[in-house]
């Protein structure tokens, strides 16, 4: 009998229906809320078009190599993050556990952000929009005090949505409306991830493509708004002198890193469901480039709308001044227009300076309105909602906008949940008899119960803490150990052979240099810069306190020591698994082998993984 | 619209109407309302006199109360709003926003939640049915195997199952074995 031909072994592992699903899932995971509300902000504060230079350099030397590394790793080993790293080397199993831990922590708070989006979405069906008017106070003589002093949009966000407490230590009560929305969000996540990639693969067609449609609609609408061109000019005008500031380079490196969702284990999980012979090099480059282009594409409507908002704010300021001047001097209506405001002001200032001074006119500076830059939740829930009120047909725009944010966040949640789900499925502790539906149900239920703490009055402060500490530093550490582990422990020569098996091409010089030297070095520099910046100033947060003298400005407060301890714990917990597991393995080895000779780790290669 | 004598006449009429409605005596005439200090800005002072009591002005508080009661009518007569027609020193009573009996968001939320729960139940039931079908198929296959030969046939010292019979080359000479013998 001759040797049987190579029959691909049916190992019962689920696979993608087609390659498009896989690429779309990776893109959906990478493209998230940060592309919409962090990248445009960074562009704005770091000199507009000039920011693209450090951004693309970071993409080239840090983003794409790390992405290729993860995708190739998952495809070669065909296991989730914990199993994959255990297979590379038992001493590196901690890297997998660390990624798993980060995915858990991030899933918890990320879905709460989606809860807020969902709350705004279901409130967008009202006429007028609830964040456009201030409610009345108790005796109906005027507007609610807190709302009147800040704006209606601020009031709806801080009071009606979050019901925020003035301090992180005051927990407040559970907000029942947020609990309902949180339950709905986790139900949606459960629905989409109920059978792993079988179901997320179908859902991703909608959640990954829909945001692009809405962005295009907003692009067209945004460009027709007055003041859009000012906003865009402001965004993209390059100011090359900002490149001298090292902070800009650090922000570019961190933005690329977090934007591509590296070191979560989700990308490893996604590519582990691929057939072994798949060109992951092309996939990695495609995903990275699409992610960056999406960031650029999203910043255009965002900045058109911001320019529109600055223009309307400027016009409102002018109009208010004009009314007070007309009232004071009893001039006929329409005598002072926006265009000749400055000439009138200078004329009146020279002829009646005391009267003008007595009016206490606010200085209207267009640049000042443009400079009000916000990122994160403030951009979406305060600035953008305010701009939406000013557009005609606000309900439709609000509904579209919040569905888009929800889809963006949901497709990233799929990646996070896969990063948690896939390694658990492969653990031998969980027996094969537990159906996938039950496991995903248990994960979603436990996450929902833990995430209830984020629906407290102080919930948004805690989410900031999680975002700043759990979702940043550990990822850098894990990514660093990933690169070092593959290049120096597994040996890049062996990995090169495996990659050649999968893609049919040898690793070219670009990958060799970036994997061996540039990426680990960059990660180390970014990590140290990050830590130094964190240590330099004592961590503080901005609290919304209606009783503060400077209200509606936010009050700067420092974290009390027990909160600081939690921050440090969040940052250290995933990282500590790396040395911990290595230590445990060492102890196990030393106990098992009584001989002083060192037992080499099992020789393993990608080709051996499948048969 | 331009402010002229006709608009002034309308204004006087509205104020008289308000006074009549408030004090419920129909003695206030248009001639009782006096305007003064009209400026280009269209701002002026006005007083209401009481013709029954020898040309004395009606106290300001009464006029204020009358206007506040009929503010809506006065605004609509001029097609203006609270902001564009200002009575200085008369605070406006703001109308509360219309609130439906059930907040709209609860309705939308209910719809969304029902859809999701229905979809989850559907998927779980489909999964259970699929698993039951798979279990039934595998038990049927097991029953057939039990009825067939259980003994391990040995060929040349190695059990048959170990030989990958499917992958072996078929010897062409014996291929048409069945056809050489005539059927009985």
């Amino acid at each position: 009998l001759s040797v049987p031909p190579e029959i691909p072994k049916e190992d019962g592992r689920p696979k993608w229906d087609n390659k498009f699903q896989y690429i779309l899932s990776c893109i959906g995971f990478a493209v998230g809320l940060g592309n919409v509300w962090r990248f445009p902000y960074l562009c704005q504060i770091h000199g507009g078009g000039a920011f693209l230079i450090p951004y693309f350099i970071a993409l080239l030397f840090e983003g794409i190599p790390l992405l290729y590394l993860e995708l190739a790793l998952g495809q070669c080993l065909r296991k989730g993050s914990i199993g994959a790293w255990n297979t590379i080397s038992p001493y590196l199993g901690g890297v997998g556990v660390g990624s798993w831990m980060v995915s858990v922590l991030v899933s918890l708070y990320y879905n709460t952000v989606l809860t807020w989006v969902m709350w705004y979405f279901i409130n967008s069906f009202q006429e007028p929009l609830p964040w456009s008017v201030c409610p009345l106070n108790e005796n109906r003589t005027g507007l609610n005090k807190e709302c009147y002093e800040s704006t209606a949009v601020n009031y709806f966000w801080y009071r009606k949505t979050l019901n925020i407490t003035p301090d992180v230590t005051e927990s407040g009560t559970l907000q029942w409306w947020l609990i309902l929305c949180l339950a709905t969000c986790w139900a949606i996540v459960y629905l989409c991830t109920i059978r792993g990639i079988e179901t997320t693969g179908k859902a991703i067609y909608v959640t990954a493509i829909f945001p692009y449609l809405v962005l295009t609609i907003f692009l067209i609408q945004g460009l027709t708004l007055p003041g859009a061109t000012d906003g865009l000019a402001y965004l993209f005008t390059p100011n090359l002198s900002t490149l001298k500031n090292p902070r800009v380079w650090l922000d570019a490196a961190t933005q690329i890193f977090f934007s591509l969702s590296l070191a979560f284990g989700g990308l490893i999980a996604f590519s582990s469901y691929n057939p072994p012979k798949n060109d992951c090099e092309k996939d990695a480059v495609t995903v990275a480039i699409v992610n960056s282009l999406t960031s650029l594409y999203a910043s255009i409507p965002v900045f058109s709308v911001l320019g529109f908002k600055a223009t309307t704010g400027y016009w409102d300021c002018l109009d208010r001044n004009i009314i007070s001047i007309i009232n004071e001097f009893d001039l006929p209506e329409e005598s002072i227009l926006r265009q000749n405001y400055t000439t009138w002001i200078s004329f009146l200032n020279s002829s009646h300076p005391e009267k003008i001074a007595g009016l206490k006119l606010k200085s209207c500076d267009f640049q000042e309105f443009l400079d009000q830059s916000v990122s994160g939740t403030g951009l979406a829930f305060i600035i953008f909602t305010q701009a939406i009120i000013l557009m005609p047909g606000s309900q439709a725009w609000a509904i579209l906008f919040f569905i888009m944010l929800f889809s963006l966040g949901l497709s990233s949640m799929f990646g996070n949940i896969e990063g948690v789900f896939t390694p658990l499925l492969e653990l031998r502790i969980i027996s094969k008899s537990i159906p996938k539906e039950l496991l995903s149900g248990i994960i979603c239920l436990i996450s929902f119960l833990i995430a209830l703490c984020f629906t407290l009055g102080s919930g948004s402060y805690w989410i900031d803490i999680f975002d700043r500490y759990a979702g940043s530093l550990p990822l850098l550490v894990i990514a660093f150990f990933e690169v070092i582990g593959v290049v120096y422990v597994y040996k890049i020569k062996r990995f090169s052979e495996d990659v050649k098996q999968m893609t049919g091409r040898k690793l070219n010089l670009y990958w060799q240099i970036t994997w061996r030297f540039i990426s680990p070095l960059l990660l180390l520099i970014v990590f140290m810069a990050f830590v130094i910046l964190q240590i330099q100033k004592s961590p503080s947060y901005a609290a919304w306190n209606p009783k503060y003298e400077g209200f509606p400005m936010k009050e700067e407060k420092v974290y009390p020591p027990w909160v600081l301890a939690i921050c440090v714990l969040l940052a250290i917990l995933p990282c500590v698994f790396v040395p911990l597991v290595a230590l445990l393995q060492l102890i196990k080895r030393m106990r098992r082998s009584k001989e002083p000779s060192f037992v080499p780790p099992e020789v393993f290669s990608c080709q051996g993984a499948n048969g | 619209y331009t402010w002229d004598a006709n608009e002034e006449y309308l204004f006087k009429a509205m104020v008289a109407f308000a006074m009549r409605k408030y004090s419920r005596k129909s003695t206030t005439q248009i001639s009782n309302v006096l305007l003064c200090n009209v400026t280009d800005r269209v701002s002026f002072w006005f007083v209401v006199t009481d013709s029954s009591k020898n040309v004395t002005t009606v106290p300001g508080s009464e006029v204020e109360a009358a206007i506040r009661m009929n503010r809506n009518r006065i605004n609509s007569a001029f097609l203006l709003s609270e902001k564009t027609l200002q009575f200085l020193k008369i605070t406006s009573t703001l109308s509360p926003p219309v609130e439906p009996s059930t907040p709209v968001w609860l309705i939308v939320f209910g719809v969304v939640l029902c859809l999701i729960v229905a979809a989850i139940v559907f998927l779980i039931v489909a999964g259970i049915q699929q698993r039951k079908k798979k279990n039934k198929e595998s038990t049927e296959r097991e029953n057939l195997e039990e009825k067939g030969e259980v003994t391990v046939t040995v060929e040349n010292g190695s059990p048959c199952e170990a030989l990958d019979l499917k992958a072996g080359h078929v010897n062409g000479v014996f291929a048409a074995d069945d056809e050489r013998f005539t059927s009985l």
Side-chain angles (χ1 to χ4, degrees), chain A residues 321-390:
Chain A
N321 285 356
I322 290 175
I323 290 277
S324 24
I325 293 177
I326 289 185
N327 277 343
E328 178 70 20
F329 289 93
D330 275 336
L331 300 163
E333 202 67 46
E334 309 259 316
S335 52
I336 307 183
L337 299 170
R338 290 182 195 136
Q339 292 89 310
N340 47 19
Y341 170 76
T342 33
T343 40
W344 268 100
I345 270 283
S346 40
F347 167 66
L348 289 172
N349 235 345
S350 47
S351 48
H352 311 272
E354 340 71 44
K355 270 192 169 180
I356 294 285
L359 281 177
K360 290 210 226 325
L361 296 172
K362 233 167 109 174
S363 73
C364 299
D365 181 15
F366 183 55
Q367 202 56 30
E368 197 186 306
F369 282 100
L370 272 182
D371 275 336
Q372 288 168 356
S373 54
V374 197
S375 83
T377 51
L379 179 70
F381 298 117
I382 298 182
I383 309 272
F384 231 77
T385 44
Q386 203 162 25
I388 285 179
I389 303 174
L390 303 164

Side-chain angles (χ1 to χ4, degrees), chain A residues 206-463:
Chain A
V206 174
T207 59
I209 298 186
F210 186 71
Y212 287 98
L213 282 173
V214 177
L215 275 176
T216 312
I217 297 176
F218 263 99
L219 182 80
I220 301 174
Q221 155 75 349
L223 288 175
T224 60
L225 294 169
T229 37
D230 294 307
L232 284 176
Y234 181 64
L235 167 70
F236 283 119
T237 317
N239 177 13
L240 290 166
S241 61
T242 54
L243 293 182
K244 289 186 234 142
N245 180 7
R247 193 66 205 268
V248 176
W249 296 86
L250 178 68
D251 275 341
T254 45
Q255 171 62 14
I256 262 293
F257 184 77
F258 299 132
S259 176
L260 284 172
S261 307
L262 299 165
F264 277 93
L267 289 166
I268 298 182
F270 279 154
S271 58
S272 72
Y273 296 116
N274 268 340
K277 289 208 185 298
N278 175 45
D279 193 347
C280 41
E281 183 176 353
K282 228 179 350 173
D283 299 339
V285 176
T286 311
V287 170
I289 291 185
V290 169
N291 179 51
S292 299
L293 288 179
T294 308
S295 294
L296 275 172
Y297 189 59
S299 44
I300 301 179
V302 167
F303 266 86
S304 320
V305 171
L306 287 181
F308 164 66
K309 185 175 169 304
T311 308
T312 38
Y314 177 62
W315 284 350
D316 278 342
C317 180
L318 281 182
D319 287 342
R320 259 181 280 133
N321 285 356
I322 290 175
I323 290 277
S324 24
I325 293 177
I326 289 185
N327 277 343
E328 178 70 20
F329 289 93
D330 275 336
L331 300 163
E333 202 67 46
E334 309 259 316
S335 52
I336 307 183
L337 299 170
R338 290 182 195 136
Q339 292 89 310
N340 47 19
Y341 170 76
T342 33
T343 40
W344 268 100
I345 270 283
S346 40
F347 167 66
L348 289 172
N349 235 345
S350 47
S351 48
H352 311 272
E354 340 71 44
K355 270 192 169 180
I356 294 285
L359 281 177
K360 290 210 226 325
L361 296 172
K362 233 167 109 174
S363 73
C364 299
D365 181 15
F366 183 55
Q367 202 56 30
E368 197 186 306
F369 282 100
L370 272 182
D371 275 336
Q372 288 168 356
S373 54
V374 197
S375 83
T377 51
L379 179 70
F381 298 117
I382 298 182
I383 309 272
F384 231 77
T385 44
Q386 203 162 25
I388 285 179
I389 303 174
L390 303 164
M391 294 187 210
S394 351
Q395 266 93 352
W397 296 115
I399 292 173
L400 270 179
F401 178 63
F402 290 116
I403 294 190
M404 174 190 82
L405 284 187
F406 195 76
S407 313
L408 281 173
L410 195 65
S411 48
S412 300
M413 267 308 280
F414 292 161
N416 280 325
I417 293 286
E418 269 311 309
V420 176
F421 191 51
T422 306
L424 282 181
L425 270 181
E426 292 156 4
L427 279 183
R428 270 168 284 131
I429 305 174
I430 308 221
S431 77
K432 291 280 175 215
S433 61
I434 293 188
K436 269 194 245 174
E437 289 92 336
L438 191 61
L439 184 63
S440 51
I442 293 176
I443 293 177
C444 289
L445 187 65
I446 295 181
S447 310
F448 166 65
L449 291 173
I450 299 181
L452 280 177
C453 348
F454 293 125
T455 57
L456 290 168
S458 53
S460 90
Y461 298 133
W462 284 106
I463 289 189

Side-chain angles (χ1 to χ4, degrees), chain A residues 2 184 188 195 326 331 333, chain B residues 41 109 116 123 127 131 168-169:
Chain A
S2 56
T184 315
I188 295 180
R195 284 200 212 121
I326 289 185
L331 300 163
E333 202 67 46
Chain B
R41 176 71 186 92
F109 169 76
I116 295 166
L123 277 179
R131 202 155 307 132
H169 279 301

Side-chain angles (χ1 to χ4, degrees), chain B residues 46-140:
Chain B
F46 70 95
V47 288
V48 182
T49 56
D50 199 343
S51 41
S52 60
K53 305 181 186 138
N54 263 347
V55 205
T56 46
T57 54
V58 177
S61 49
E62 269 189 53
V63 181
E64 276 177 31
I67 299 216
R68 193 189 270 133
M69 210 173 77
N70 298 293
R71 189 61 191 273
N72 217 11
R73 301 289 294 270
I74 302 179
N75 283 348
S76 330
F78 288 97
L79 304 172
L80 294 172
S81 67
E82 294 274 332
K83 279 212 186 117
T84 36
L85 175 61
Q86 277 179 318
F87 287 91
L88 299 173
K89 284 196 258 172
I90 297 184
T91 53
S92 43
T93 36
L94 304 159
S95 57
V98 178
E99 268 219 31
S101 49
T102 38
V104 176
W105 71 265
L106 262 181
I107 300 175
V108 180
F109 169 76
V111 168
V112 169
L113 194 62
C114 284
L115 284 172
I116 295 166
V117 170
I120 291 180
V121 167
F122 169 72
L123 277 179
I124 293 183
V125 166
I128 294 178
Q129 278 182 344
Q130 219 176 23
R131 202 155 307 132
K132 257 196 247 170
K133 215 177 9 166
K134 232 193 313 186
N135 275 344
K136 213 167 29 153
E137 277 176 21
S138 61
T139 44
E140 279 174 11

